[in-house]
Amino acid sequence: MRGIMSTAMLLAASDESDEKVELLKVPESVPNGELLQFEGKEPSQPDEMLKSKGALKAWERVKACLQSSKDGDAIYVSAEEAFRMTSSAGPIKTETLREAVIQ
């Protein structure tokens, strides 16, 4: 995510009750540390000047818009428009959870 330098970040989808949780599936050929992107959005690089409080606030705004689609794709939904999360090897998906919250 732009502005947050991390050595590891896990994203998971969960059902409404948070009883079922599953990690998002990234294609196996994607190298560790690859910067993920959203289709239809310009690729970006981490912002070195963003301070940690600002980074946390930015992450909270992004996290509130993440979910899985009817097809299991991880998406960012903004103003009735959805942007699929992708890697160099294809889309990021949930295994079984559909229309679920991603955090």
Side-chain angles (χ1 to χ4, degrees):
M1 191 186 111
R2 184 182 176 127
I4 297 179
M5 184 62 77
S6 175
T7 55
M9 181 178 278
L10 298 175
L11 291 174
S14 61
D15 63 10
E16 289 181 12
S17 65
D18 285 337
E19 287 187 20
K20 182 171 183 178
V21 176
E22 61 186 44
L23 295 177
L24 297 186
K25 294 184 66 72
V26 177
E28 287 189 29
S29 62
V30 174
N32 289 338
E34 178 175 297
L35 185 64
L36 302 177
Q37 52 195 330
F38 293 97
E39 283 181 342
K41 295 283 189 184
E42 290 292 319
S44 62
Q45 295 300 315
D47 187 343
E48 295 176 18
M49 298 300 290
L50 193 60
K51 297 184 190 265
S52 62
K53 282 187 180 180
L56 291 175
K57 288 180 183 178
W59 169 240
E60 290 300 320
R61 288 191 304 269
V62 169
K63 185 172 74 166
C65 298
L66 293 176
Q67 64 186 57
S68 62
S69 70
K70 291 178 183 177
D71 299 323
D73 293 325
I75 56 174
Y76 175 86
V77 180
S78 173
E80 305 298 323
E81 192 171 4
F83 302 92
R84 188 166 65 156
M85 186 185 295
T86 63
S87 68
S88 60
I92 311 304
K93 301 180 91 51
T94 58
E95 190 166 333
T96 62
L97 291 172
R98 304 295 185 253
E99 297 180 310
V101 173
I102 294 175
Q103 335 190 37

